[in-house]
Amino acid sequence: MVTGNIFHCRKNSWPPEEYVSRHTLHLFDFDSAGPPKHAWRRRLNSHANILKEFSITFMEAIKMVRLGIRLWSYVREEASHGRKAPIDPFTRESCKPSASQGVPLGGMGSGSISRGFRGEFRQWQIVPGTCDSSPVMANQFSIFVSRDSGNKKYASVLAPGQHEGLGKARDEGISSWGWNLSGQHSTYHALFPRAWTIYDGEPDPELKVSCRQISPFIPHNYKETSLPTAVFVYTLVNTGRERAKVSLLFTWANSIGGVSHLSGDHVNEPFIGEDGVSGVLLHHKTAKGNPPVTFAIAACETQNVNVTVLPCFGLTEGRSVTARQMWDKMMQDGQFDRQNFNSGPSMPSSPGETLCAAVSASAWVEPHGKCTIAFSLAWSSPKIKFLKGSSYHRRYTKFYGTSERAALNLAHDALTNYKRWEEEIEKWQSPILNDQRLPEWYKFTLFNELYFLVAGGTVWIDSSLPSTNVKNDQDSPEDAQRVDVKVTEAEVNRRHTTISEYSTTSGCNGSTGDGLKNNSDPAVTQNKRNSNNLSEHFKWQDQLDDYDDVGRFLYLEGVEYIMWNTYDVHFYASFALLGLFPKIELNIQRDFAKAVLSEDGRRVKFLAEGNYGIRKVRGAVPHDLGTHDPWNEMNAYNIHDTSKWKDLNPKFVLQVYRDFAATGDMQFGVDVWPAVRTAMEYMEQFDRDDDGLIENDGFPDQTYDAWTVHGVSAYCGCLWLAALQAAAAMAEQIGDRFFAETCKTKFCTAKSAFEKKLWNGSYFKYDSGSSSNSKSIQADQLAGQWYTASSGLAPLFDELKIRSALQKIYDFNVMKVKGGRMGAVNGMHLNGKVDETCMQSREIWTGVTYAVAANMILAGMEKEAFATAEGIFIAGWSEEGFGYWFQTPEAWTMDGHFRSLIYMRPLAIWGMQWALSIPKAILDAPKVNMMDKILISPATFSLSLTETGVRKIANKAKCFGNSVLHCAC
């Protein structure tokens, strides 16, 4: 829990008075129009510098040359099939990344659009797995102001800077608009999922304007958080002596980013809806056979607000109305013709033509009066189509259907419900924001890092089954033949890892697929039937309960690493989902539990060594759920054979136990227990000297996949110790007493070996090998202890050892890097020099730094914890930093070069919040005494339980069903 020690941490002060005049703040002190006390802030005229990308050293390039050649070949091969490789370091975006991001729009899992702090709409991720960072400059809000006397008129796009085409003679495009805003007196204030832009007398000195951006991201609300919509509420305050006619203009291109607006066959259509909500639908026909998308831009007409539309205008001559003519019409009249609502659908656009639409909302504002005008944006793309797999319906279609006109209803409901959304958001955020013990920078950074759950590439489907099975025409013949995946039930021999399988193969034309043996033996045939029943049972069970009806959820490792639900990274990020959307977190764990018990025999080439293996080994936790056919073709990652990684299985056990303890969901525990036990038994093969401790294999067999490990490692060994303890605790609660006692016995032996091999008196060495970096101080050496403490389990080591190791990390990995102003470097030598063994050892990983800080909080080192995490804020989010706000990368170097923007792991900041307020369910959970054990022989771990034993476990949960028997007997 938080103590008074936090007061000793230096606070960053970001008072709104330093950005907005007190007079203006007072004018907006109603109806949430003013910016919040705690927020991330920027002036609109702030420079958005180009970010510096990471590059490897000459020696690193020499070591990685073979990998680079193989990766290049793989990227080209995937491109020949019309697919993007999950990792592609060779292709660069045409739009260079800049420090320009802001709060993204919409809820989770239905596609996302980000909005830069200066107002541009960018970072388009409507099609799963694709991201176009270029802004679509025609998408803007603009303002037109005139006074009764007619002497003063103002017209400007509400975004600073000049368009690159400005000044061209008779230009008919958007460069003809009024790009008059300097941004000097306009400021942006971000507190995800809301943002405020305050125009303090720009462009009209006598008009104060607040734009409030609201998206329906509401914890524990599994309906509205799935909605692809956002609201923009403009509050106008007239400080002049004359009444003012103010017209706000919302323009939108029929585009999903990049050059998609030029592909043709797009149609715009005006509409008048209920409750005064009117606007334009923009029907977008996507390229490459992707499902269509429909946008809705709308405004709410009231007694004082008049809404008109221009359904179509173009950026060049050819359309009946051009961008210049549209702007001139607004300059003259401040609105469009009412008959435009009767124009019906437009003619489809021609290839190369850009089709845009506009919505205008105008009102008279009396002297010293106030007025509110609300716009909404919604998009509907009901079907998700993966390149090599099935199609699914997005979560929001459960409530709005699959019609392309759902966008209209989404836009309407956003305008009628946004006030309630704000109330729920404020109720959620207020306790943290009002906690005087917490540093200010932490409060708003905690919420703003959640941007990733929207902008990081998320997919949320409405059920666990595909809507239709779709085969991609571009799939290669080899792919068509290798579609067989077997689900197996097995007993794993402890020493020899032999597997007695009940397997099935089901594929196209009866093919058994690579890696699977066809056998005409009657016993094998019967085994296939048994396994087929298991597979069918999984499908039936999904249809039966749909896991509390919250659908299934995917999120990318990062926009540059296109793999869904990367599990070694989810280990850090999952605290956010568990704390805010626990049902989603449990369903992700169920997905991985089923994956543990499955096997995919298709051959895969692993690029680091050039060797071959099978895609998914039974008993091994997959690295990810796939790229082009998630859930069905797992392990898109193919640099190393992750079935030999040492951290994935322990991380699965630790996450499952934490979630089980936090939710108290016994049904969940029973469902996943067979997979937990199998995952633990699988790891036995890596204990090569019978000391109960797993060993690494002399290659980067962990989440640090460029950092080689020899023998016992602090990172994986600590995770294994924690997993033994978590498995023992869960086994006791589930009712598997024998397994609990086996884990306890192994824990005692393994702990002794771990400390003997790695403890050097002040910290745990990187590994037990004899390489130049074996004695390095690894920032993440106590990852297992972090989860142990987060789950309410007893410490793995005595308190003096834990605090000593964390203090060493703080003194060396944190404070010896720019005085603690950059976060924790992964590896550090005892002489105070950064470990430069590989690119990852010399990097600062943002999510790992947050995790280390969480570990420090749990160890009672709050001052050091917040100083450590503050380095990420200073380097990434502050004005003096590198400009990584709302695109926090996986890593940066000491000179500020980034690797992998918009990355999952920084969500680990919610691990800090978890440590500050551990749930009562965990604090009150039954404790396991690892020393309170019975003497048992060091016999084989055994997955198979007797049917009687399974029934006892199921009856304890009062949920006996076929799922338990099928998974465990």
Side-chain angles (χ1 to χ4, degrees):
M1 302 298 290
V2 180
T3 70
N5 291 336
I6 286 185
F7 283 115
H8 297 296
C9 181
R10 181 172 61 88
K11 293 185 179 182
N12 279 290
S13 180
W14 290 54
E17 294 85 357
E18 292 185 6
Y19 292 80
V20 183
S21 69
R22 291 182 180 272
H23 175 64
T24 300
L25 289 173
H26 177 72
L27 292 175
F28 286 134
D29 189 19
F30 73 100
D31 194 29
S32 300
K37 180 180 178 181
H38 304 288
W40 179 90
R41 314 185 199 277
R42 280 295 179 278
R43 299 190 186 280
L44 264 60
N45 65 345
S46 298
H47 177 63
N49 58 291
I50 301 297
L51 306 181
K52 298 180 291 184
E53 193 163 3
F54 175 90
S55 61
I56 60 176
T57 66
F58 176 76
M59 290 305 299
E60 289 166 350
I62 294 297
K63 294 178 182 178
M64 299 171 67
V65 64
R66 289 187 177 87
L67 169 61
I69 293 171
R70 296 187 190 106
L71 184 56
W72 168 251
S73 176
Y74 173 68
V75 168
R76 294 188 64 182
E77 179 185 358
E78 286 293 284
S80 71
H81 298 301
R83 301 189 293 260
K84 183 174 175 61
I87 301 175
D88 179 7
F90 308 107
T91 305
R92 293 288 177 264
E93 292 282 346
S94 57
C95 179
K96 292 184 178 181
S98 62
S100 56
Q101 298 288 10
V103 174
L105 306 170
M108 299 195 308
S110 297
S112 70
I113 306 165
S114 289
R115 192 172 184 226
F117 74 89
R118 294 186 296 189
E120 69 277 13
F121 295 86
R122 58 191 311 136
Q123 210 74 34
W124 298 76
Q125 297 188 83
I126 304 297
V127 177
T130 64
C131 178
D132 193 292
S133 58
S134 304
V136 176
M137 294 304 294
N139 298 351
Q140 298 288 347
F141 284 99
S142 303
I143 192 168
F144 302 82
V145 186
S146 62
R147 302 280 172 174
D148 265 350
S149 64
N151 295 326
K152 298 178 181 178
K153 287 190 175 184
Y154 301 91
S156 180
V157 177
L158 288 174
Q162 296 183 343
H163 188 260
E164 60 183 11
L166 190 64
K168 291 183 179 179
R170 295 304 305 168
D171 180 76
E172 295 298 319
I174 62 174
S175 62
S176 63
W177 296 355
W179 299 84
N180 304 317
L181 198 77
S182 72
Q184 182 179 358
H185 301 292
S186 301
T187 54
Y188 181 82
H189 311 256
L191 186 65
F192 179 90
R194 296 190 292 173
W196 292 254
T197 306
I198 306 299
Y199 304 91
D200 196 356
E202 286 189 279
D204 182 345
E206 296 181 335
L207 186 70
K208 310 294 185 181
V209 181
S210 166
C211 173
R212 191 162 85 257
Q213 173 186 313
I214 308 150
S215 292
F217 184 98
I218 306 167
H220 307 285
N221 184 327
Y222 295 89
K223 176 184 176 181
E224 288 168 305
T225 302
S226 72
L227 305 185
T229 187
V231 177
F232 306 90
V233 181
Y234 280 84
T235 303
L236 312 172
V237 179
N238 182 7
T239 61
R241 297 180 179 179
E242 297 177 296
R243 71 170 184 162
K245 182 181 181 182
V246 181
S247 297
L248 289 165
L249 176 70
F250 189 16
T251 53
W252 198 258
N254 198 323
S255 168
I256 59 171
V259 295
S260 61
H261 53 288
L262 302 176
S263 56
D265 286 332
H266 310 315
V267 174
N268 291 357
E269 175 187 5
F271 69 86
I272 297 179
E274 298 178 354
D275 304 315
V277 176
S278 304
V280 181
L281 292 174
L282 297 90
H283 305 286
H284 186 87
K285 183 178 180 181
T286 59
K288 300 180 181 179
N290 285 308
V293 181
T294 297
F295 293 96
I297 56 173
C300 190
E301 193 164 65
T302 66
Q303 184 176 3
N304 187 43
V305 177
N306 180 48
V307 176
T308 56
V309 301
L310 181 63
C312 298
F313 69 90
L315 302 185
T316 58
E317 293 184 4
R319 275 280 158 185
S320 57
V321 178
T322 66
R324 174 187 285 272
Q325 292 169 333
M326 181 277 298
W327 188 267
D328 290 345
K329 172 71 172 176
M330 287 296 300
M331 287 276 289
Q332 179 178 339
D333 300 333
Q335 62 187 39
F336 301 113
D337 298 330
R338 293 290 301 183
Q339 59 262 35
N340 289 346
F341 282 113
N342 303 320
S343 61
S346 68
M347 291 293 293
S349 63
S350 302
E353 177 189 19
T354 302
L355 191 62
C356 303
V359 174
S360 168
S362 57
W364 286 97
V365 187
E366 298 298 323
H368 306 291
K370 302 174 182 179
C371 179
T372 298
I373 297 175
F375 293 87
S376 64
L377 166 69
W379 57 96
S380 177
S381 182
K383 185 177 286 189
I384 298 166
K385 178 184 176 184
F386 290 105
L387 286 177
K388 293 174 67 177
S390 302
S391 292
Y392 303 88
H393 285 134
R394 297 190 194 260
R395 166 77 174 166
Y396 78 89
T397 63
K398 185 178 185 70
F399 318 107
Y400 284 84
T402 59
S403 167
E404 61 186 21
R405 300 188 70 84
L408 189 158
N409 295 326
L410 285 161
H412 169 274
D413 290 356
L415 287 169
T416 54
N417 291 327
Y418 75 85
K419 290 184 178 180
R420 177 175 53 81
W421 294 349
E422 287 194 285
E423 290 175 359
E424 294 185 37
I425 291 168
E426 289 173 0
K427 183 179 179 180
W428 157 47
Q429 294 182 335
S430 292
I432 295 173
L433 296 176
N434 295 332
D435 191 336
Q436 297 299 316
R437 299 168 298 174
L438 300 175
E440 185 176 2
W441 66 264
Y442 170 79
K443 296 177 184 180
F444 58 78
T445 306
L446 177 72
F447 292 111
N448 284 333
E449 287 284 18
L450 289 172
Y451 84 93
F452 186 85
L453 289 176
V454 173
T458 56
V459 168
W460 195 355
I461 63 171
D462 70 335
S463 73
S464 58
L465 295 178
S467 59
T468 56
N469 287 318
V470 178
K471 190 66 186 171
N472 192 295
D473 295 335
Q474 295 179 325
D475 283 353
S476 66
E478 294 85 355
D479 291 330
Q481 293 172 5
R482 296 199 297 261
V483 297
D484 307 321
V485 180
K486 60 181 177 180
V487 180
T488 65
E489 288 189 285
E491 291 184 3
V492 182
N493 182 280
R494 176 175 176 269
R495 299 313 317 147
H496 303 292
T497 64
T498 57
I499 300 179
S500 303
E501 297 179 342
Y502 299 98
S503 63
T504 184
T505 59
S506 57
C508 297
N509 304 319
S511 166
T512 60
D514 291 351
L516 304 183
K517 294 182 179 179
N518 195 355
N519 196 319
S520 58
D521 186 281
V524 175
T525 303
Q526 182 60 43
N527 290 344
K528 289 182 180 180
R529 291 194 187 115
N530 291 344
S531 183
N532 190 58
N533 291 339
L534 174 64
S535 181
E536 289 303 313
H537 164 74
F538 279 145
K539 293 181 181 178
W540 173 83
Q541 187 69 22
D542 285 343
Q543 289 175 305
L544 182 67
D545 56 31
D546 198 22
Y547 298 136
D548 230 0
D549 196 29
V550 299
R552 296 172 90 180
F553 187 81
L554 299 169
Y555 64 145
L556 290 176
E557 179 176 337
V559 297
E560 297 176 35
Y561 296 159
I562 308 172
M563 294 167 282
W564 300 108
N565 292 9
T566 299
Y567 201 73
D568 56 311
V569 184
H570 180 68
F571 175 77
Y572 297 85
S574 58
F575 285 91
L577 285 175
L578 178 59
L580 305 177
F581 301 98
K583 292 181 181 179
I584 289 178
E585 167 63 11
L586 293 188
N587 280 359
I588 289 176
Q589 303 295 27
R590 286 186 171 102
D591 284 337
F592 277 90
K594 285 196 282 187
V596 169
L597 300 177
S598 73
E599 183 162 302
D600 185 343
R602 287 174 282 187
R603 281 168 54 83
V604 173
K605 183 178 183 179
F606 301 114
L607 304 179
E609 301 297 334
N611 58 323
Y612 286 84
I614 68 172
R615 178 173 290 277
K616 168 66 180 68
V617 176
R618 186 190 186 282
V621 173
H623 172 273
D624 56 80
L625 291 183
T627 291
H628 299 304
D629 190 11
W631 296 298
N632 301 313
E633 185 181 271
M634 293 170 284
N635 282 334
Y637 177 92
N638 61 351
I639 304 299
H640 298 288
D641 182 355
T642 58
S643 68
K644 298 178 181 178
W645 276 20
K646 309 307 183 295
D647 62 338
L648 288 168
N649 283 39
K651 285 176 175 177
F652 170 70
V653 175
L654 288 170
Q655 288 184 75
V656 164
Y657 179 74
R658 178 204 57 189
D659 299 349
F660 174 64
T663 62
D665 189 333
M666 185 60 73
Q667 175 68 67
F668 168 74
V670 171
D671 287 346
V672 302
W673 176 246
V676 170
R677 185 163 174 169
T678 301
M680 290 297 292
E681 291 171 346
Y682 180 86
M683 296 301 292
E684 282 291 283
Q685 63 184 295
F686 303 121
D687 177 9
R688 302 202 164 78
D689 54 7
D690 290 314
D691 62 354
L693 194 60
I694 60 173
E695 283 86 37
N696 293 81
D697 284 328
F699 75 99
D701 49 356
Q702 53 178 354
T703 193
Y704 299 90
D705 58 350
W707 199 356
T708 298
V709 199
H710 300 277
V712 176
S713 74
Y715 184 67
C716 296
C718 188
L719 289 170
W720 174 243
L721 290 177
L724 284 169
Q725 185 175 209
M730 190 169 181
E732 285 195 352
Q733 294 177 55
I734 292 293
D736 191 347
R737 176 66 184 229
F738 174 79
F739 195 80
E741 299 304 331
T742 306
C743 288
K744 289 181 182 182
T745 299
K746 285 193 167 292
F747 175 84
C748 293
T749 305
K751 177 182 175 182
S752 176
F754 183 83
E755 293 187 339
K756 181 179 179 180
K757 293 179 179 180
L758 296 180
W759 180 252
N760 68 356
S762 60
Y763 67 96
F764 294 99
K765 298 183 298 181
Y766 177 69
D767 65 29
S768 63
S770 57
S771 63
S772 60
N773 71 317
S774 290
K775 296 181 180 180
S776 288
I777 308 164
Q778 184 181 12
D780 215 2
Q781 62 185 267
L782 289 179
Q785 170 57 30
W786 171 37
Y787 256 73
T788 293
S790 296
S791 304
L793 295 169
L796 296 179
F797 317 104
D798 65 68
E799 182 181 350
L800 291 176
K801 283 189 173 71
I802 294 170
R803 290 179 65 96
S804 174
L806 290 173
Q807 189 66 49
K808 198 76 172 183
I809 293 165
Y810 178 75
D811 292 340
F812 281 73
N813 300 63
V814 177
M815 296 308 295
K816 290 186 182 296
V817 179
K818 307 292 185 181
R821 299 173 67 80
M822 294 197 70
V825 70
N826 283 335
M828 178 70 79
H829 291 298
L830 276 172
N831 61 7
K833 293 184 178 180
V834 171
D835 183 345
E836 298 190 351
T837 303
C838 68
M839 68 181 207
Q840 291 177 343
S841 63
R842 62 184 174 91
E843 289 178 327
I844 294 158
W845 282 15
T846 52
V848 167
T849 299
Y850 286 141
V852 170
N855 215 346
M856 290 174 175
I857 292 171
L858 291 163
M861 301 169 61
E862 293 98 340
K863 178 181 178 182
E864 292 84 352
F866 281 92
T868 296
E870 188 179 20
I872 301 301
F873 168 78
I874 293 171
W877 288 82
S878 73
E879 288 189 88
E880 61 189 273
F882 301 115
Y884 297 131
W885 45 82
F886 299 102
Q887 52 187 335
T888 316
E890 157 76 318
W892 53 62
T893 56
M894 287 182 291
D895 56 359
H897 287 68
F898 75 87
R899 181 171 62 80
S900 187
L901 290 173
I902 310 182
Y903 195 80
M904 181 197 294
R905 204 179 325 245
L907 284 171
I909 192 173
W910 281 85
M912 294 179 65
Q913 189 59 28
W914 186 271
L916 292 167
S917 53
I918 293 179
K920 188 176 185 296
I922 282 183
L923 295 176
D924 294 343
K927 307 303 177 186
V928 58
N929 185 347
M930 296 302 286
M931 306 308 294
D932 177 21
K933 55 181 173 44
I934 60 175
L935 293 176
I936 58 175
S937 61
T940 306
F941 273 141
S942 176
L943 174 60
S944 59
L945 299 172
T946 64
E947 184 172 322
T948 303
V950 176
R951 290 180 184 275
K952 286 181 178 178
I953 294 172
N955 287 334
K956 180 177 180 179
K958 296 182 180 179
C959 56
F960 176 70
N962 290 337
S963 61
V964 180
L965 288 177
H966 274 296
C967 291
C969 63

